[in-house]
Amino acid sequence: MSEALISALRPLLPKGLALAACDPAAEATGLWPIETAAIARAVPARRREFAAGRRAARAAMAILGLPPTAIAMAPDRAPLWPQGVTGTISHSARACLALVGLTEHWAGLGLDLEPALPLPEDILTTICTPTERAALAQDHSGLLSRRLFCAKEATYKAQYAQSRRLLSFDDLEITFDGSHRFSAQLQIACPPFARATRFAGHSLQAGDMLAALVTLPRL
């Protein structure tokens, strides 16, 4: 599954970004001491996911010619990237991907992976704005709800590198253009981003997985 996701995402990546994958079901190896300490009390599945994410991140950094280093975990659980590096890690039960770039070129990166399954009906009012719920009524694929969720998660990750603010799901409104592209509009001010700021992203399906990608160039 990782190979299919990599193949689908790579043509969408701007120059200067590196993408790598690792198996989240593999043994939790390759961790640096500070990383091991961060998940000392985690359950085995979480340890495997975390280790796969760190291995994928170091593999992506190596593609950019960067040396291997520890990627600690901040109190908010976000990765603490080394000086000059920004990135995003996402994993599912079957795939783990890391996307990395240099901060001189990229202000934030967001990548999310989700199963290609509809969201449970009982959480749609929490996840979706009224406009998005109206769009769901016209959806014949059954997957729009999950695509909306995936797009919001990717956007949250990308903007968080700058705002350090956790957004609510209704703080963003997603509009798809009928192809692989979407626009995510802020419904609130989230400094340094003004209210009504729009983030551009890509949404795709690879087999039974959905992915969403948001890249914020350094202005």
Side-chain angles (χ1 to χ4, degrees):
M1 179 50 62
S2 295
E3 292 80 5
L5 286 166
I6 290 279
S7 295
L9 285 165
R10 187 161 282 143
L12 304 176
L13 295 181
K15 185 178 179 180
L17 294 179
L19 182 67
C22 279
D23 182 2
E27 290 300 313
T29 59
L31 292 176
W32 291 46
I34 194 171
E35 297 168 342
T36 300
I39 55 166
R41 298 182 180 180
V43 299
R46 169 58 180 157
R47 291 175 61 84
R48 290 192 293 270
E49 288 179 347
F50 182 92
R54 266 42 185 189
R55 292 197 306 272
R58 279 187 275 274
M61 289 168 59
I63 293 171
L64 295 179
L66 300 171
T69 187
I71 304 169
M73 185 167 65
D76 60 6
R77 301 178 65 83
L80 283 174
W81 298 98
Q83 184 76 24
V85 175
T86 189
T88 179
I89 299 171
S90 186
H91 41 65
S92 68
R94 297 173 56 197
C96 177
L97 271 61
L99 180 67
V100 171
L102 301 180
T103 55
E104 64 180 301
H105 303 305
W106 302 100
L109 303 172
L111 176 65
D112 190 59
L113 306 176
E114 298 291 334
L117 297 169
L119 285 177
E121 289 283 339
D122 60 352
I123 69 170
L124 292 183
T125 55
T126 302
I127 300 300
C128 301
T129 67
T131 299
E132 292 166 344
R133 291 198 295 274
L136 289 177
Q138 308 300 318
D139 175 42
H140 302 296
S141 71
L143 293 180
L144 180 58
S145 60
R146 186 73 68 167
R147 290 180 67 209
L148 286 166
F149 178 81
C150 192
K152 291 191 180 193
E153 287 288 319
T155 308
Y156 294 152
K157 292 179 181 181
Q159 67 81 35
Y160 189 76
Q162 293 297 302
S163 73
R164 313 309 293 183
R165 175 171 174 175
L166 295 173
L167 298 175
S168 299
F169 283 104
D170 58 0
D171 291 336
L172 280 174
E173 188 164 272
I174 305 296
T175 304
F176 292 98
D177 72 353
S179 64
H180 293 305
R181 294 184 177 86
F182 66 85
S183 172
Q185 184 179 46
L186 271 175
Q187 305 299 292
I188 60 168
C190 182
F193 305 108
R195 185 180 183 276
T197 295
R198 288 185 178 272
F199 305 96
H202 293 272
S203 173
L204 61 88
Q205 182 172 351
D208 60 359
M209 293 295 300
L210 299 175
L213 170 70
V214 176
T215 58
L216 304 183
R218 178 73 63 186
L219 301 178

